[in-house]
Amino acid sequence: QVQLVESGGGLVQPGGSLRLSCAASGSIFSINDMGWYRQAPGKERELVATITNGGMTNYADSVKGRFTISRDNTKNTVYLQMNSLKPEDTAVYYCNGDIRKYYYSDTRNVYWGQGTQVTVSS
């Protein structure tokens, strides 16, 4: 099986920072793209940032200049550094990965973590 586990969420004041981590484990041959998404109460899940295996990044307009996505391929881990946090950043943050499980099969599937709560409040 493949699992992704997020960590690093919590309560932070507006203007503060948090660093989220997401470690993938299990049957993994390689990971292509990875990403972060978030879902606020009553809203649909939305893209926050993505990163390719080669390090190319993409960000939602709402977080550009404030968030930075990165990855450590040796650890199968993706990070999200969040600075200048705003109350509207409050959400459950989910990571995902496009994962190839076996060397003998080129099949890839997207796996999701369970999410970590980020609350930005005074």
Side-chain angles (χ1 to χ4, degrees), residues 6-119:
E6 301 96 338
S7 62
L11 175 64
V12 65
Q13 296 183 78
S17 298
L18 283 174
R19 185 173 185 253
L20 306 183
S21 299
C22 172
S25 62
S27 181
I28 299 172
F29 177 74
S30 64
I31 305 177
N32 193 11
D33 294 355
M34 302 187 79
W36 287 96
Y37 294 73
R38 67 187 182 187
Q39 187 168 24
K43 295 188 176 182
E44 295 185 350
R45 190 172 299 186
E46 65 177 354
L47 181 147
V48 176
T50 59
I51 184 168
T52 69
N53 190 49
M56 297 293 292
T57 59
N58 181 57
Y59 297 92
D61 288 340
S62 59
V63 307
K64 285 181 179 177
R66 300 188 298 121
F67 291 10
T68 302
I69 188 171
S70 61
R71 63 191 289 169
D72 184 342
N73 290 335
T74 68
K75 298 180 178 180
N76 290 333
T77 299
V78 62
Y79 306 94
L80 186 69
Q81 178 66 48
M82 304 184 293
N83 299 324
S84 301
L85 283 162
K86 305 174 180 179
E88 52 262 44
D89 295 318
T90 296
V92 177
Y93 283 71
Y94 300 88
C95 67
N96 73 3
D98 184 8
I99 295 174
R100 174 179 173 178
K101 295 180 67 176
Y102 310 110
Y103 82 93
Y104 56 83
S105 175
D106 198 31
T107 300
R108 301 196 304 271
N109 295 104
V110 175
Y111 296 85
W112 290 85
Q114 293 296 310
T116 185
Q117 177 71 48
V118 172
T119 302

